[in-house]
Amino acid sequence: MTPPPSATPAPPVVTVVGIGADGWPGLPESSRSALRAAEVVIGGPRQLALLPDTECLAERVPWPTPLRPAVPGLLARYAGRRLTVLASGDPMFYGIGRTLTEIAGPAAVRVLPQPSSVSHACARLGWPVEETEVVTLVGRPADRLAAALHDGRRVLVLSAGADTPAEVAALLTERGFGPSRMTVLEQLGAESGEARYEGVAAEWDRAPGDPLNVVAVACRRAPDALRLGAVPGLPDAAYENDGQLTKRHVRAATLAALAPAPGELLWDVGGGSGSIGVEWLRTHPSCRAYAVERDPARAERIGRNAARLGVPRLTVVTGPAPDALAQLPAPDAVFIGGGLTAPGLLERCWAALPVGGRLVANTVTLESEALLAAWYRRHGGELVRLAVAHAVPVGGFTGWRQAMPVTQWSATKTSESLGAGQVEQA
């Protein structure tokens, strides 16, 4: 039987044209045709200025600020007219293309990309794109660059403006990467000519230049700088703390039990110094986390640790649990590092998890250990005791100093767990 003909797809609501610094001459004919046919063109002032009046007769509308909240209204205002949006380079690479597809839907958006600034920069530098890490500071804090810094790695920084190179140099120097080589590439792809400047981060003294720039960093760690690895279990010295810190070896075991995956969200309850939330976020740029801490001084400290270690996106909630959990989005995993005996805390955290969600709780007290044993009897999972000893001087010899053992319960919520009642304290 011949299948019925499929419905003719609806035409796109908006066409997105990527444009480079070379402007109209650098556009392929498909992009030029879209701009010639447009009745309305929306873009940044710099991008709109690249269009020749003789070729593009459309009404030109500059983006308002802030941009994203204005998009639905603009799409509604120009509905029924041939609408084209200008974007820098590849619109789907940290560009307006993502926003438009999220709001209007992929079928309503036609994207005509140009080479991104990353492609241009790697071509100029001879760096393989797939081996180069990219960090954007456009509308984002410079602290996020810190998570990408590893000795020998190559990083491209998408600049927010003319001041970004100096900000990058200062951050590299402050985080122990002052010997790193920096290359600033300006006006990539422009017909009028590109510019290139190089120098060492710790010695960077160049005045701000063109706002359209990319900063290439060949990372080199100073010999005396603290080494931060790519897996959980950072040195305890990496954290500012008042003693409320999940220590390195226990932290590594805790993150292994939490098992973060890209895009997942964590509740770090009883944040202390924020180390669990910080290292959860460092596993992947798309991970999300909330650190809940009742003490305001510690909450501020968590924020400082997160910024220093390259994950300023950690959201710190100041207040006591479980009440402070009420407005948080549903988690994929929960870590409880303090306050286990608070009435209703375990119940609230367990109820918030979806099927497949994980809960991990650590304690050093007998009272909380008894509570975890009761939850283990009801929900299963793993109940383990983590004991760590460190070698220390004993007179002229060396002996072991035992740290307080940590009892850890970890469990994954299953369909059988739904509707489970409260667990009595043992």
Side-chain angles (χ1 to χ4, degrees), residues 237-258:
Y239 293 94
E240 177 189 349
N241 70 89
D242 61 357
Q244 293 297 312
L245 173 69
T246 302
K247 299 301 191 292
R248 180 179 193 175
H249 299 91
V250 174
R251 192 184 328 127
T254 300
L255 267 296
L258 287 167

Side-chain angles (χ1 to χ4, degrees), residues 121-150:
C122 287
R124 304 299 183 272
L125 296 163
W127 290 5
V129 176
E130 72 275 12
E131 295 180 7
T132 302
E133 186 151 3
V134 179
V135 177
T136 180
L137 300 187
V138 179
R140 297 166 174 84
D143 287 320
R144 68 194 307 269
L145 173 59
L149 301 180
H150 297 283

Side-chain angles (χ1 to χ4, degrees), residues 304-327:
R304 292 194 296 270
N305 281 329
R308 178 167 182 78
L309 293 169
V311 287
R313 66 187 185 279
L314 175 63
T315 302
V316 183
V317 178
T318 306
D323 293 344
L325 307 175
Q327 302 303 317

